[in-house]
Amino acid sequence: MTPKHPSESLTILTDLVLPSETNPLNNLFGGELLARMDRAASIAARRHSRRIVVTASVNHVAFNRAIPLGSVVTVEAKVSRSFKSSMEIFIDIWVEDRESGNKTKANEAIYTFVAVDDTGRPVEVPQIIPETPLEIARFEAALRRKQLSLVIAGKMKPEDATELKALFV
């Protein structure tokens, strides 16, 4: 299977925040943002694997900045690392200022998707070859995140989490 670059999975969704998508403070509902991120991550995972993909987990979500009514929101999703059948997708959320047009990073998230066949069984996916410094950093951190998840779930012994142990030695 031919390895791929993260840029090959890049998915960009841009949309407007409408009144029906806001809370009483006129900011985008968190659940609405989660749905937008899930859609973008799904497309990125599909582009990487060229298979049916399913959301396995939402590993991290940071709601760092409220997104007000009328904002232009851009969701950028890209595969940061792939494992046997799973893919970690890193998502950046940008908000465009209505007056200046300047974009500011508002939020980020990390999702995990699994590629499956027509019967729902996991299938192998191509490996990732990161290119930029940010892609390399996210690629390297993905293994630590995966090991942490496995340790927390009881699927890996802490002493076997070599990447995590290296952080503390």
Side-chain angles (χ1 to χ4, degrees):
M1 199 171 286
T2 305
K4 294 183 174 182
H5 300 286
S7 59
E8 295 177 71
S9 67
L10 177 63
T11 301
I12 301 172
L13 301 179
T14 302
D15 204 356
L16 189 65
V17 177
L18 301 173
S20 64
E21 302 166 332
T22 61
N23 62 26
L25 297 174
N26 284 325
N27 292 317
L28 182 66
F29 279 121
E32 173 63 31
L33 183 58
L34 288 168
R36 292 179 187 196
M37 291 188 292
D38 194 51
R39 282 191 293 274
S42 173
I43 294 167
R46 178 78 183 227
R47 285 179 172 165
H48 178 75
S49 66
R50 292 295 168 200
R51 303 298 294 230
I52 297 167
V53 296
V54 294
T55 309
S57 65
V58 177
N59 308 50
H60 167 75
V61 177
F63 294 109
N64 297 320
R65 182 173 168 197
I67 301 174
L69 173 66
S71 295
V72 173
V73 179
T74 300
V75 178
E76 293 183 7
K78 197 190 296 190
V79 176
S80 51
R81 187 159 187 162
S82 59
F83 296 94
K84 186 174 180 180
S85 61
S86 67
M87 296 156 279
E88 180 189 90
I89 293 80
F90 209 102
I91 306 160
D92 295 302
I93 311 304
W94 302 89
V95 177
E96 187 175 320
D97 182 80
R98 290 177 272 198
E99 303 296 321
S100 69
N102 293 332
K103 288 185 178 180
T104 304
K105 185 170 176 181
N107 304 297
E108 66 181 22
I110 302 169
Y111 281 49
T112 298
F113 276 75
V114 173
V116 297
D117 63 18
D118 292 339
T119 66
R121 289 191 177 97
V123 295
E124 195 171 332
V125 298
Q127 292 302 303
I128 282 284
I129 301 173
E131 297 178 290
T132 70
L134 180 58
E135 289 172 355
I136 292 167
R138 288 178 173 178
F139 176 88
E140 291 172 352
L143 183 54
R144 292 188 293 273
R145 286 188 287 271
K146 181 175 177 108
Q147 286 185 352
L148 179 59
S149 293
L150 291 171
V151 168
I152 290 170
K155 296 178 181 179
M156 176 183 265
K157 295 178 184 175
E159 57 269 18
D160 294 335
T162 56
E163 295 297 313
L164 287 177
K165 285 175 28 179
L167 291 174
F168 302 102
V169 178

